Amino acid sequence: MYTLTAFLTVLTLNAQTKKEQDANAIKKMCGCYEVTFNFAETFQYSKDSLYKPSKTKTDKALEWAELVVDKDDKISIQHLLQVGNPAEPHIVKHWRQDWIFENTNFYMYNGDNVWNFKQKSANDVKGQWTQKVYQVDDSPRYEGSSTWVHVDGKSFWENTTDAPLPRREYTKRNDYNVTIRGNRHEIKTNGWIHDQDNSKVIREEGKEDIVLAQEKGYNTYVKVDDSRCKVASEWWKKNKEKWVLVRKKWDEVYGRNTNLSLETKVDNKALYKHLFSEDYEEEAKINMVIESFVKK
């Protein structure tokens, strides 16, 4: 018969084992991958007879996912695209994903470059991991909290959350302003899959959301030898200190714990164009340009 102390010890060990299992699944997304991005608009609900759905899109790329933070309650992975001539590839700083255990502070997208700050109770997020996804300039994109599931040999995490339009859409469309993303990350023996069921939504204050169309996304990450991403890995070693400064400034902005509204352009340039420039290497200049995008 268990004593209370023994029962609590077993409970704690089981919880640690589950948390470690979660963390190991997340870190399996690191490494070098051949990625295929697939998106297709599946259903249209527009009442406009001239409505044109987005074209089906399929792209391939080589992507390096670098583990940049590995702490007890936080795992951060930076993605880098390696594109162009394989003999002399070009490196593009891509998205970043942070995974935080039992996180209670959220910036939830609400459309038109506004993220509303929300807090959840510790009980609401018990045992859960928040995935926070960032743009190429480390500004916010979307986030959500859910439980990793390990069953029947599968490891997956599912969540539905509001997000801005993806780059492949906002450069071509302005007939909706929110993407409701259904995200599933599943770890496979040869890599991982990002499976999406998305809704394209028109959101106006004081009105009910209107679903314009739905979309299927299916992105496969097939693991290849890390040596194929050597150029991306070396690029990150040379440039990572600058992005430590960028993340530090954004962490200060997020730490204000208030609604966040961002400019789309300053001096006629998006933030990533400023930060990707060699003009912004010093901390003071980085802080200044990021702050210039934060609406007061």
Side-chain angles (χ1 to χ4, degrees):
M1 183 175 179
Y2 277 134
T3 65
L4 179 59
T5 301
F7 174 76
L8 291 174
T9 300
V10 170
L11 199 64
T12 301
L13 287 172
N14 285 342
Q16 288 174 340
T17 301
K18 169 63 168 61
K19 184 182 175 184
E20 289 169 359
Q21 198 174 8
D22 297 346
N24 288 335
I26 293 166
K27 286 186 280 190
K28 284 181 181 177
M29 289 189 271
C30 296
C32 188
Y33 296 91
E34 287 181 342
V35 188
T36 303
F37 304 98
N38 301 284
F39 292 94
E41 200 163 291
T42 52
F43 301 101
Q44 296 84 40
Y45 305 107
S46 174
K47 296 177 182 179
D48 184 352
S49 61
L50 300 177
Y51 176 83
K52 289 185 178 181
S54 298
K55 292 181 179 178
T56 297
K57 186 177 179 67
T58 300
D59 276 331
K60 292 181 181 291
L62 195 63
E63 186 150 312
W64 175 248
E66 173 90 21
L67 182 65
V68 294
V69 176
D70 185 8
K71 296 181 179 177
D72 189 43
D73 290 332
K74 181 178 180 180
I75 298 166
S76 182
I77 303 171
Q78 176 63 59
H79 292 253
L80 303 166
L81 289 174
Q82 187 170 301
V83 297
N85 182 353
E88 295 183 10
H90 177 62
I91 306 305
V92 179
K93 182 180 179 292
H94 206 196
W95 61 298
R96 185 179 109 238
Q97 52 174 330
D98 288 357
W99 292 85
I100 304 175
F101 186 65
E102 296 185 344
N103 165 65
T104 56
N105 292 343
F106 295 83
Y107 282 90
M108 306 304 291
Y109 191 66
N110 194 45
D112 304 319
N113 241 25
V114 174
W115 288 260
N116 291 336
F117 177 73
K118 294 185 178 180
Q119 286 186 305
K120 292 188 177 183
S121 71
N123 193 54
D124 285 340
V125 298
K126 188 172 180 58
Q128 295 185 354
W129 289 81
T130 296
Q131 185 202 37
K132 293 176 177 271
V133 173
Y134 300 90
Q135 309 271 21
V136 297
D137 51 26
D138 290 328
S139 60
R141 186 156 176 71
Y142 63 86
E143 52 194 74
S145 181
S146 289
T147 304
W148 273 89
V149 177
H150 311 283
V151 64
D152 295 338
K154 295 180 180 180
S155 291
F156 62 90
W157 179 95
E158 292 180 328
N159 181 261
T160 299
T161 193
D162 296 347
L165 275 61
R167 187 176 301 278
R168 61 191 152 78
E169 289 279 272
Y170 79 69
T171 55
K172 298 176 182 176
R173 296 184 62 166
N174 59 7
D175 55 343
Y176 72 102
N177 62 340
V178 175
T179 305
I180 299 179
R181 300 180 58 118
N183 295 305
R184 177 186 170 102
H185 297 276
E186 183 171 346
I187 309 303
K188 298 287 192 179
T189 54
N190 65 339
W192 57 286
I193 290 170
H194 185 191
D195 192 359
Q196 302 170 51
D197 289 291
N198 303 328
S199 295
K200 301 178 179 184
V201 168
I202 302 167
R203 179 169 296 170
E204 294 183 61
E205 190 173 353
K207 297 182 180 180
E208 284 193 21
D209 285 354
I210 297 173
V211 179
L212 187 66
Q214 290 179 307
E215 172 189 71
K216 183 66 181 179
Y218 195 78
N219 302 339
T220 59
Y221 290 74
V222 178
K223 191 82 171 67
V224 296
D225 194 274
D226 284 355
S227 62
R228 290 187 56 189
C229 290
K230 183 180 178 181
V231 176
S233 175
E234 292 297 324
W235 183 94
W236 183 250
K237 288 177 184 176
K238 293 176 183 176
N239 291 275
K240 65 181 181 180
E241 293 307 320
K242 169 179 178 173
W243 294 98
V244 168
L245 297 176
V246 173
R247 295 198 304 273
K248 180 182 175 183
K249 175 58 181 176
W250 275 119
D251 285 346
E252 186 268 314
V253 172
Y254 301 140
R256 296 170 190 174
N257 293 350
T258 188
N259 293 352
L260 180 61
S261 179
L262 298 178
E263 303 282 359
T264 54
K265 291 183 178 181
V266 170
D267 295 333
N268 208 32
K269 286 198 294 188
L271 178 57
Y272 77 91
K273 289 191 175 181
H274 289 279
L275 290 177
F276 282 11
S277 164
E278 293 181 358
D279 293 337
Y280 293 91
E281 302 289 335
E282 299 172 3
E283 185 170 13
K285 293 187 74 173
I286 288 169
N287 291 350
M288 179 185 67
V289 74
I290 292 175
E291 195 65 50
S292 72
F293 277 80
V294 179
K295 292 184 180 180
K296 305 305 179 189

